[in-house]
Amino acid sequence: MSYCINPLCPQPGDLANAENRLCHHCGSALVLRDRYRIVKLLSDDSGFATIYEVSDATTTQILKVLKFHHNKNLRAVELFRQEAIILSQLRHPGIPNVEPDAYFAYTSHNNPELIHCFVMEKIEGMNLQQWLQQQTQNISQTQALLWLQQLTKILQIVHKHNYFHRDIKLQNIMLRPSGQLVLIDFGAAREMTYTYLAQIGSAGTITRISSAGYTPPEQEKGHAVPQSDFYALGRTFVYLLTGKKLSDIYNPLTDEFDWRDYAPQITIAFADFIDRLMSAKAIDRPKDTQEMLAILDRLLAGNSELPADYRPYNRDEETVIMSKTTVLQKDESKQYSAKKWLIGGGLAVLLLASGGYWAWYKVQLNSQTVVTQSWESDRVFEGHSSNINNVAITADQKVLISASADKTIKIWDLETGRELKTLTGHESYINSIAISPDGQFLASGSADKTVKLWSLTTGKLLITLTGHTSSINDVLFSPNGQYLYSASADLTVRAWDLNQGEQKQVFNGHTSSINALAVRPDGRVLMSAGADKMIEFWDLETGKEIKTLTGHTSYINALAMSPDGQFLASASADRTIIIWDAYTGEKRQTLTGHTNYVNALAISNDGQTLVSSGADKTIRFWNLNNGKMQRILTGYPRPIDFFAATPNLEIIATGSQDVVIRIWKKP
């Protein structure tokens, strides 16, 4: 479909425009900048901009268009352009990606006035208000702390560039399927060096950005400062922790929000910190993001008290409010036993030259020493034009395969880095790939809602499987290669009979996006996991749910099955890896050490070693006999979203939110 954005067009969504370059109703361009075709209208709810989905030759993105009636308001136009400029300067997985030339303006066929536009990354997922509406219980303290830490780190980037957001609220925080939060809508952002009393034209009125319940007093008066963002964060987390609309817990007699009784799952120390964020005076809030992160680290480490001078201040006095609340305190030793990070002075850290790593690794397999080594890529593969979303390595260790948001799959010679083939056919970005057990076929799952089966020998497309109603996040072959399983954001897992080229089963049970699959080597049980924090076991003969495993406190991003089928590993945005009995579902052990969410897993062919990667920019090696971390690879420039490893772990290929693949190889 093609959508016309001319505000004077009588039929902007006419299906007859599907393949046209010009609207046959008003003559306006349907392909902007000779690149972006407007696919559909996503939202017209905002009073500021209209949101469209657009597609170019490589990926699906978002087009924001300033509403036409704002054109005569120079300040509105300035704010709109400012959002594009700010986002183009900020590079972080928690901030939508915008290219420097993303802003443009053009005139439609029968309308001489400019239409102001800019193109930005499309964030897959929902905002936190939508997410909260789907939940049956309030978030835990651990989840809240991890999310607050993520958002504080995003603000640290924003504030370091001399901007502050000014409009943080549930609707402006998106949640990627990986568990990464993304702060959106920077239209209200302001440079710290600007005057706080910016005027609109000559009217002399103060520019106010206000969201009921979230906006601090100084911002309501037109004097927003960086600490205004902290106030809005505090209000946002009150909503998340209580599930109560702020208007429902406001006490007009005291001019306060009586929220603590509705959040019995958190400690007094954490409640004190939230109240400190919401202090009426900006000077009483944390001075900067670094101070906030230090307190969050303290709370995540299990400290039951804040520093003596770090409790919420009274609205009108410089006296500390002593907490008088019925908030239930949990047993801190139990709550945080899994949060004793394996870093710091209690660890013996040995720095090795890269050439000696693998020899040392084999000798020290059962050692209790954790070795940290700085990352050094062996090679870099370049060729994709957009983010790489997944990689795989063939069993013979000769070929590497990559899937990208540019809608292509590339096949590489792993030794030389030479590109062998490029597979095309998907209409949107490709999220997952899997190689068949016999190495003859490749499966791919895409945001275009299809699964495709390819010949690895010829590169020919063999089958396109349809049925999912949303983006596909993971694909997996059965052990005998006769079936293919796909997991989707539509909350289903589907089994496909590859001999017949048709759907065999649909598994329903998850309540949120499904991110990962695993199958027992006997081919009898399939496991699925996702954003609902649960792992489901499915009987592949009957299609029935066998059991549900719970234990993670945030989204599950990856699963890995041991070669002998005895245990299952799960990786989560809660920073932990849990090892489960693959038959009984019993939790065997919890591996802790990652300092941000864990994204990907692999298990060596001897079943002795687990490898994990995370948003903390590290790859970690674990001894599965004793659950001990053995080695950390550090210094990678970005969060490591995925990796592929050969069965003996001699070669590791990694990727992140960029267009290159990096290879770490045994010397």
Side-chain angles (χ1 to χ4, degrees):
M1 177 179 178
S2 287
Y3 203 96
C4 180
I5 64 172
N6 177 7
L8 301 182
C9 181
Q11 295 188 50
D14 190 348
L15 295 177
N17 276 330
E19 302 299 327
N20 294 350
R21 292 186 66 86
L22 298 176
C23 176
H24 70 262
H25 291 287
C26 69
S28 298
L30 298 175
V31 180
L32 307 181
R33 306 181 92 179
D34 293 323
R35 177 179 176 185
Y36 301 109
R37 181 176 289 276
I38 302 101
V39 177
K40 60 183 176 181
L41 172 68
L42 292 180
S43 174
D44 197 29
D45 296 337
S46 166
F48 195 61
T50 304
I51 311 299
Y52 300 90
E53 182 178 294
V54 296
S55 178
D56 63 11
T58 59
T59 190
T60 301
Q61 298 187 69
I62 294 296
L63 175 74
K64 293 191 74 169
V65 179
L66 182 67
K67 289 198 169 178
F68 198 60
H69 63 269
H70 290 308
N71 271 16
K72 298 186 185 302
N73 186 329
L74 297 181
R75 181 57 180 150
V77 174
E78 179 188 343
L79 283 172
F80 185 79
R81 293 186 62 185
Q82 180 175 272
E83 179 176 6
I85 293 169
I86 293 171
L87 288 173
S88 71
Q89 297 172 354
L90 307 177
R91 298 291 179 179
H92 186 276
I95 300 171
N97 185 47
V98 171
E99 297 303 321
D101 63 346
Y103 168 82
F104 62 96
Y106 88 108
T107 56
S108 54
H109 181 68
N110 60 351
N111 188 347
E113 291 202 45
L114 289 176
I115 298 175
H116 299 273
C117 313
F118 75 85
V119 178
M120 63 189 295
E121 175 192 8
K122 181 181 179 182
I123 307 297
E124 288 298 318
M126 61 185 75
N127 67 44
L128 288 192
Q129 185 176 60
Q130 295 166 330
W131 178 88
L132 191 60
Q133 290 170 351
Q134 295 184 3
Q135 307 309 303
T136 58
Q137 59 185 14
N138 301 331
I139 64 171
S140 66
Q141 169 155 318
T142 300
Q143 179 72 78
L145 285 168
L146 292 173
W147 275 2
L148 188 52
Q149 185 182 61
Q150 276 196 46
L151 290 167
T152 304
K153 288 181 177 180
I154 296 170
L155 282 180
Q156 190 170 49
I157 299 295
V158 175
H159 290 181
K160 279 184 177 179
H161 281 76
N162 293 322
Y163 288 101
F164 43 99
H165 190 276
R166 293 204 303 168
D167 199 20
I168 295 173
K169 55 188 176 183
L170 291 174
Q171 299 94 312
N172 284 344
I173 303 170
M174 297 287 291
L175 181 62
R176 296 185 193 267
S178 67
Q180 170 70 54
L181 296 178
V182 182
L183 192 58
I184 64 171
D185 200 349
F186 281 74
R190 177 192 291 283
E191 275 196 77
M192 296 179 189
T193 53
Y194 283 8
T195 173
Y196 296 147
L197 303 179
Q199 297 181 348
I200 301 177
S202 59
T205 55
I206 295 171
T207 302
R208 291 191 180 93
I209 303 297
S210 179
S211 294
Y214 296 93
T215 307
E218 72 278 1
Q219 188 169 318
E220 291 282 9
K221 299 172 184 176
H223 293 267
V225 292
Q227 288 78 11
S228 303
D229 285 342
F230 304 158
Y231 182 98
L233 266 185
R235 290 292 173 90
T236 298
F237 276 84
V238 166
Y239 200 158
L240 286 170
L241 289 163
T242 65
K244 298 288 185 182
K245 293 181 179 179
L246 298 177
S247 58
D248 293 341
I249 53 177
Y250 176 68
N251 186 338
L253 296 177
T254 62
D255 192 27
E256 293 177 345
F257 288 89
D258 297 330
W259 66 276
R260 292 191 179 212
D261 288 351
Y262 297 103
Q265 76 275 27
I266 71 172
T267 63
I268 290 177
F270 188 28
D272 284 348
F273 179 64
I274 295 293
D275 277 336
R276 182 69 177 252
L277 294 178
M278 300 187 299
S279 297
K281 299 176 182 177
I283 197 172
D284 294 336
R285 300 171 206 151
K287 66 180 180 180
D288 53 28
T289 54
Q290 194 60 43
E291 181 178 309
M292 285 182 63
L293 290 172
I295 296 299
L296 289 170
D297 284 343
R298 183 184 179 97
L299 292 170
L300 280 165
N303 287 304
S304 59
E305 293 185 1
L306 296 178
D309 61 346
Y310 208 90
R311 295 194 178 107
Y313 282 89
N314 185 286
R315 181 176 297 276
D316 299 312
E317 302 174 8
E318 293 294 319
T319 58
V320 174
I321 300 174
M322 301 307 294
S323 299
K324 296 179 180 179
T325 177
T326 59
V327 174
L328 302 178
Q329 282 201 272
K330 295 187 175 183
D331 181 345
E332 294 292 319
S333 63
K334 292 181 180 179
Q335 185 175 357
Y336 292 104
S337 61
K339 295 294 182 183
K340 297 177 180 178
W341 309 117
L342 301 178
I343 57 175
L347 295 176
V349 178
L350 176 62
L351 296 176
L352 296 179
S354 61
Y357 160 58
W358 292 102
W360 176 93
Y361 175 73
K362 289 182 177 179
V363 173
Q364 298 294 332
L365 183 62
N366 295 311
S367 171
Q368 302 303 306
T369 303
V370 178
V371 174
T372 300
Q373 181 182 356
S374 181
W375 184 275
E376 293 181 15
S377 295
D378 177 69
R379 275 163 294 138
V380 175
F381 291 3
E382 298 180 89
H384 282 291
S385 60
S386 189
N387 291 349
I388 299 167
N389 293 336
N390 205 217
V391 289
I393 297 174
T394 56
D396 62 9
Q397 304 182 26
K398 294 181 179 179
V399 173
L400 181 137
I401 306 166
S402 57
S404 171
D406 66 11
K407 309 178 190 176
T408 71
I409 298 167
K410 290 187 181 291
I411 301 176
W412 313 79
D413 183 305
L414 184 55
E415 183 62 32
T416 66
R418 183 169 63 92
E419 183 180 318
L420 303 175
K421 293 185 182 73
T422 297
L423 311 184
T424 61
H426 279 295
E427 296 179 359
S428 188
Y429 43 87
I430 304 165
N431 293 326
S432 180
I433 50 177
I435 301 170
S436 63
D438 62 7
Q440 298 299 305
F441 305 102
L442 177 75
S444 57
S446 168
D448 66 10
K449 309 173 190 175
T450 70
V451 177
K452 293 184 183 292
L453 186 71
W454 314 78
S455 167
L456 264 182
T457 304
T458 65
K460 181 180 178 181
L461 175 61
L462 303 175
I463 307 172
T464 297
L465 304 172
T466 61
H468 282 292
T469 60
S470 189
S471 177
I472 296 166
N473 297 327
D474 198 15
V475 290
L476 177 71
F477 281 95
S478 64
N480 63 10
Q482 300 300 304
Y483 299 98
L484 184 69
Y485 310 111
S486 55
S488 171
D490 67 9
L491 316 189
T492 71
V493 176
R494 297 174 189 254
W496 310 88
D497 185 324
L498 295 180
N499 291 321
Q500 302 297 321
E502 61 185 26
Q503 182 176 288
K504 178 188 177 186
Q505 293 169 310
V506 179
F507 304 98
N508 290 286
H510 283 282
T511 59
S512 193
S513 179
I514 307 171
N515 296 332
L517 296 170
V519 64
R520 251 186 9 214
D522 60 15
R524 295 181 178 179
V525 177
L526 178 72
M527 293 87 166
S528 59
D532 58 8
K533 314 169 195 174
M534 299 186 298
I535 302 173
E536 301 283 3
F537 280 41
W538 308 95
D539 186 313
L540 285 172
E541 183 65 31
T542 66
K544 294 185 179 299
E545 181 183 318
I546 301 172
K547 56 175 61 72
T548 300
L549 309 186
T550 59
H552 283 295
T553 59
S554 189
Y555 307 101
I556 301 172
N557 294 327
L559 296 175
M561 177 66 65
S562 65
D564 62 7
Q566 295 301 307
F567 61 85
L568 175 75
S570 57
S572 172
D574 66 10
R575 307 180 180 187
T576 71
I577 301 162
I578 297 180
I579 309 299
W580 314 83
D581 188 296
Y583 285 84
T584 67
E586 179 183 356
K587 185 189 296 186
R588 289 187 173 185
Q589 54 189 348
T590 299
L591 310 183
T592 62
H594 277 287
T595 59
N596 209 323
Y597 47 91
V598 190
N599 289 330
L601 297 171
I603 298 175
S604 61
N605 57 357
D606 62 7
Q608 300 297 304
T609 305
L610 175 75
V611 184
S612 60
S613 72
D616 59 6
K617 307 177 185 178
T618 69
I619 286 183
R620 297 173 188 250
F621 295 78
W622 311 80
N623 184 332
L624 286 174
N625 291 320
N626 55 28
K628 301 293 185 182
M629 190 193 313
Q630 296 175 312
R631 186 165 188 79
I632 308 172
L633 299 182
T634 65
Y636 197 83
R638 295 174 180 267
I640 304 173
D641 296 330
F642 55 86
F643 70 90
T646 55
N648 56 9
L649 307 182
E650 292 188 347
I651 301 173
I652 296 175
T654 64
S656 186
Q657 292 297 312
D658 55 21
V659 297
V660 301
I661 305 161
R662 302 179 191 274
I663 307 297
W664 175 268
K665 186 178 179 182
K666 170 185 174 182

